[in-house]
Amino acid sequence: MDEAAGPVAGPAETGAGQRRRGQTVTIRDVARAAGVSPATVSRVMNNRETVAPDLARRVQQTAASLGYRPSAVAQGLARGRTGLVAITVPDLGNPMFQSVLRGLSRAAGRDGYRLLVTDSHELPLEELVLAQESRLRADGLVLCSPRSHDRELAELAHTIEPFVLVNRNVEGVDAPTVAVDYASGVRAVCAHLGWLGHSRVAYLEGPRASVPNRERRETLEAAAEGRFALHVVECGSMLEDGFEAADRALATGATAIVGYNDLVALGAQGKLDEIGVRVPDQVSVVGFDDIPLSRYTAPRLTTVAVPQEDLGREAWQRLGAMLRGEAPPADVCFTPRLEVRQSTGPALR
Amino acid sequence: MDEAAGPVAGPAETGAGQRRRGQTVTIRDVARAAGVSPATVSRVMNNRETVAPDLARRVQQTAASLGYRPSAVAQGLARGRTGLVAITVPDLGNPMFQSVLRGLSRAAGRDGYRLLVTDSHELPLEELVLAQESRLRADGLVLCSPRSHDRELAELAHTIEPFVLVNRNVEGVDAPTVAVDYASGVRAVCAHLGWLGHSRVAYLEGPRASVPNRERRETLEAAAEGRFALHVVECGSMLEDGFEAADRALATGATAIVGYNDLVALGAQGKLDEIGVRVPDQVSVVGFDDIPLSRYTAPRLTTVAVPQEDLGREAWQRLGAMLRGEAPPADVCFTPRLEVRQSTGPALR
DNA sequence: TTGTATGCGTTATCAT
DNA sequence: ATGATAACGCATACAA
């Protein structure tokens, strides 16, 4: 009904003449309409106290009626900050990283920052490119479990500053770091399996570029020494990888399978179920991370639990401080806790 | 070894005196150092062909040696486009949305666009605010399974344009839409359960604000008519919700449980396992989405499989077209496929 | 308290 | 082919 009210209701008569290319309605339009200067509009929009209350109200009303919304890009340029914080993860599909993300999102959100998320898909070469690129559009960066080499990371560190490292210490880089003492987790796993009498253990190895993987493998190897035979099986980081590595793990004669992470462990468990191998009666399975699902599978997964959201929160605590020009809190290293559930049991013989 | 090659290689001698507040090195620094105008540097950086080859090389070298990197924000302002596409999802923790994300990320990435991801945490009120905000920093928006009311969405539609809707049709909004015909999926489920002889079915209901939930419930109710008794059980969208709703579902005397999504179904399955109810011998379980994990649980989950990555890809196909000023392809509606696995079986009696 | 003028870093238009 | 110069939209130091 209201549609064709006026006969010649073209926008020509309404306000300004021709439309610009960029923003539909700018701060100047509001200023003009309200009969004030752009500066005043800016002040009103940013709640500067130095504006007469009634004027402020008038400006707000005209702004609202015009549907004015400040350009985030222009603000970013003028202020020298975007209000964005970038985070790069190896695999968004991994619930572990999601939890870190959530922790970061919550913490940063409280300070008015939004997240720019990028997924490097476990590709070490793309990782730093992505990180640099996203850092360019954000005020800071959280590098989560980077797969890149120490050397390259150190070389490019200055291009992504300020940033904080999660889940990895890098030689020659002094960025604030939030880490997990996986070695202690591995030792707890070994103690647990040893106590259950396991003498042959298979480790489903993660991505070669993953530092946590190397740490887990090496700690495992060291702990195995004189306690049990360790077989390292090539695998990966995803469900499918665990699923198809299970056979090979079994072929080693292992009575216990340690997955690189929960996804891999659950994938392996899926395969074991499919081929009729009972867990934990015939084979025990252990994972890392304690993703939410680990609590709901059958059998429920024994895993090394890391405080995932805390990692994100602590990361922001450091990055936020740097953005405020303050000195970031000291590095932190969480000690994981072995969550013993149903997927581990006594060795057969 | 190569470290301390030059004796006095301090940056003091090299270039300009004092640092500015914003960018460390700008296009003007490069221009000055190369003895050309900023315009030429810009042309070189953007691979404009109209620059003499040797000059271009020289500029590239000075740019590289100065470590110059164009400001994405300034480019955004000048070009009128950010190269960012925003996506808002109800729950990043849901693998279903991750898959959509991946599909979108891949497709948009091929066109040089990056993703700005925001999670509304299933809060209808925050959703549109977040969407507006992120849209402000991006060139377009993908609204994934929005929980907001039709009316509000229609009212604010103009503030988030251009955008495309995934997994939801909205009355009064003519944005391109990529959807799934869940009703047909529900009917397939009913046929399947009916054929198995189930006469009492419990539906674990998702978030009240979820339109897909309403659609599933209503289609279920319609299909139940004269075929089986349907009990709707309040639940939610996450693992925990399914876990704690399982008891109530069981209390209805149902021999089959249909979860709002796979997460809920798996959560329920976890509870059933814990209390010793065998699936599918005693109770059948069905989910929606077909998240990767559904293939690996014990028992493997029967579920309504939707082409998750395709949703993201198709969304970009439409948004990308709009950004290029073209007309987006016609709306698309995928027909899901019932993936019968192990969690469903004949009814007891 | 409000307005003017300039800067933010780049792109693009117009000369040359 | 290259160089001034004006947008782009907003914030802010300074002036009034």
Side-chain angles (χ1 to χ4, degrees):
Chain A
M1 291 289 187
D2 299 336
E3 281 291 77
V8 192
E13 207 68 332
T14 332
Q18 71 291 358
R19 283 270 164 268
R20 297 160 226 65
R21 54 184 172 187
Q23 190 109 332
T24 51
V25 37
T26 77
I27 199 174
R28 302 224 301 229
D29 297 321
V30 179
R32 203 154 21 216
V36 298
S37 78
T40 297
V41 179
S42 173
R43 285 190 268 259
V44 171
M45 298 308 289
N46 294 298
N47 294 317
R48 294 272 177 285
E49 298 302 334
T50 67
V51 181
D54 50 341
L55 215 198
R57 251 200 318 283
R58 205 179 72 207
V59 170
Q60 276 168 337
Q61 285 177 359
T62 38
S65 76
L66 258 52
Y68 168 66
R69 303 174 57 208
S71 153
V73 180
Q75 286 182 323
L77 187 56
R79 288 178 174 150
R81 47 151 269 169
T82 63
L84 246 37
V85 36
I87 175 171
T88 301
V89 298
D91 175 20
L92 248 189
N94 190 328
M96 149 76 176
F97 297 126
Q98 287 160 35
S99 298
V100 176
L101 219 83
R102 186 173 315 124
L104 179 67
S105 171
R106 289 236 172 86
R110 271 192 290 274
D111 291 348
Y113 279 84
R114 299 295 171 201
L115 256 48
L116 180 51
V117 185
T118 50
D119 180 343
S120 68
H121 302 289
E122 294 283 359
L123 298 173
L125 295 94
E126 283 202 30
E127 185 176 76
L128 284 180
V129 178
L130 282 175
Q132 286 181 301
E133 222 196 85
S134 47
R135 165 60 184 84
L136 228 44
R137 350 185 81 120
D139 301 328
L141 173 73
V142 173
L143 212 44
C144 193
S145 286
R147 308 306 199 199
S148 311
H149 288 312
D150 277 24
R151 227 186 45 121
E152 285 154 13
L153 226 159
E155 271 173 14
L156 271 47
H158 67 105
T159 69
I160 53 175
E161 260 160 1
F163 72 103
V164 2
L165 284 166
V166 171
N167 223 346
R168 162 124 177 232
N169 290 79
V170 176
E171 202 76 27
V173 171
D174 69 341
T177 301
V178 179
V180 175
D181 180 13
Y182 289 111
S184 106
V186 170
R187 283 189 292 268
V189 168
C190 291
H192 177 59
L193 292 179
W195 183 76
L196 289 171
H198 291 274
S199 56
R200 298 184 84 81
V201 176
Y203 174 58
L204 267 33
E205 183 170 40
R208 304 309 286 257
S210 162
V211 172
N213 172 61
R214 199 158 51 80
E215 186 181 1
R216 283 166 216 185
R217 178 166 46 71
E218 287 172 356
T219 313
L220 225 31
E221 282 164 346
E225 207 68 39
R227 291 219 272 176
F228 52 77
L230 180 70
H231 301 272
V232 176
V233 176
E234 221 169 296
C235 181
S237 62
M238 317 208 310
L239 281 167
E240 299 74 34
D241 301 323
F243 183 81
E244 65 116 83
D247 279 333
R248 283 175 282 132
L250 240 35
T252 68
T255 59
I257 298 178
V258 177
Y260 160 68
N261 62 18
D262 284 354
L263 249 27
V264 159
L266 291 178
Q269 220 171 257
K271 176 57 146 285
L272 295 179
D273 173 69
E274 191 165 308
I275 62 182
V277 175
R278 291 189 310 280
V279 176
D281 300 343
Q282 296 175 266
V283 172
S284 289
V285 177
V286 181
F288 277 85
D289 294 343
D290 192 21
I291 63 176
L293 248 148
S294 304
R295 247 182 296 265
Y296 299 97
T297 52
R300 299 194 287 286
L301 187 68
T302 293
T303 186
V304 176
V306 330
Q308 311 167 51
E309 294 211 17
D310 292 346
L311 289 176
R313 199 163 35 71
E314 292 291 328
W316 174 247
Q317 211 157 310
R318 281 152 187 77
L319 191 52
M322 298 175 82
L323 293 181
R324 288 190 303 270
E326 304 168 6
D331 290 353
V332 59
C333 186
F334 290 98
T335 300
R337 168 179 47 77
L338 180 65
E339 193 73 37
V340 177
R341 292 204 266 253
Q342 302 178 324
S343 66
T344 46
L348 273 183
R349 73 210 96 149
Chain B
M1 291 289 184
D2 300 335
E3 282 291 75
V8 190
E13 209 68 330
T14 332
Q18 74 289 357
R19 285 269 163 269
R20 294 161 228 65
R21 55 182 172 187
Q23 189 108 336
T24 52
V25 37
T26 76
I27 200 172
R28 302 223 303 228
D29 298 320
V30 180
R32 204 156 17 219
V36 297
S37 78
T40 298
V41 179
S42 173
R43 284 190 269 258
V44 172
M45 299 307 288
N46 293 296
N47 294 317
R48 294 271 178 285
E49 298 303 333
T50 69
V51 181
D54 51 340
L55 214 196
R57 248 199 320 283
R58 204 180 73 209
V59 170
Q60 275 167 339
Q61 284 177 0
T62 36
S65 75
L66 258 54
Y68 168 66
R69 304 174 57 209
S71 154
V73 181
Q75 286 182 324
L77 186 58
R79 289 177 172 152
R81 46 150 270 170
T82 63
L84 245 38
V85 37
I87 174 170
T88 302
V89 298
D91 175 20
L92 247 189
N94 190 328
M96 149 75 177
F97 297 126
Q98 287 160 33
S99 299
V100 175
L101 218 83
R102 187 173 314 126
L104 180 67
S105 170
R106 289 236 173 87
R110 269 192 290 275
D111 291 347
Y113 279 84
R114 300 294 172 203
L115 256 50
L116 180 52
V117 186
T118 49
D119 181 342
S120 68
H121 302 288
E122 294 284 359
L123 298 173
L125 296 94
E126 283 201 28
E127 186 175 74
L128 284 179
V129 177
L130 283 175
Q132 285 181 302
E133 221 196 85
S134 47
R135 166 60 186 83
L136 228 43
R137 348 186 84 121
D139 301 328
L141 172 74
V142 173
L143 212 43
C144 194
S145 287
R147 309 304 200 203
S148 312
H149 288 310
D150 277 25
R151 228 186 43 120
E152 286 154 12
L153 227 157
E155 271 172 13
L156 270 48
H158 67 103
T159 68
I160 53 175
E161 261 160 0
F163 72 104
V164 3
L165 284 166
V166 171
N167 224 348
R168 162 123 179 234
N169 290 80
V170 176
E171 202 77 25
V173 171
D174 69 341
T177 301
V178 179
V180 174
D181 179 13
Y182 288 111
S184 106
V186 170
R187 284 189 292 268
V189 168
C190 291
H192 177 59
L193 292 180
W195 184 76
L196 289 171
H198 292 274
S199 57
R200 297 185 83 82
V201 175
Y203 174 57
L204 267 34
E205 184 168 41
R208 304 310 286 257
S210 162
V211 172
N213 172 60
R214 200 156 51 80
E215 187 182 0
R216 284 166 215 185
R217 178 167 45 72
E218 287 173 356
T219 313
L220 225 32
E221 281 165 347
E225 207 68 40
R227 291 219 271 177
F228 53 78
L230 179 71
H231 300 272
V232 176
V233 177
E234 220 169 298
C235 181
S237 63
M238 317 207 313
L239 280 167
E240 299 74 34
D241 301 322
F243 183 81
E244 65 114 85
D247 278 333
R248 282 175 284 131
L250 240 35
T252 68
T255 59
I257 298 178
V258 177
Y260 160 66
N261 63 18
D262 283 354
L263 248 27
V264 158
L266 291 178
Q269 219 169 258
K271 176 57 147 283
L272 295 179
D273 173 69
E274 191 165 309
I275 61 182
V277 175
R278 290 190 310 282
V279 175
D281 301 342
Q282 296 175 267
V283 172
S284 288
V285 176
V286 181
F288 277 86
D289 293 344
D290 190 21
I291 62 175
L293 247 148
S294 304
R295 249 183 295 266
Y296 299 98
T297 52
R300 299 193 287 286
L301 187 68
T302 293
T303 185
V304 176
V306 329
Q308 310 166 52
E309 294 211 17
D310 292 346
L311 289 176
R313 198 162 37 70
E314 292 291 328
W316 173 248
Q317 211 156 313
R318 281 152 187 75
L319 190 54
M322 297 175 83
L323 293 181
R324 288 191 303 270
E326 305 167 7
D331 290 353
V332 59
C333 185
F334 290 98
T335 301
R337 169 179 46 79
L338 180 65
E339 193 74 37
V340 177
R341 292 203 266 253
Q342 302 178 325
S343 66
T344 46
L348 274 183
R349 73 210 99 153

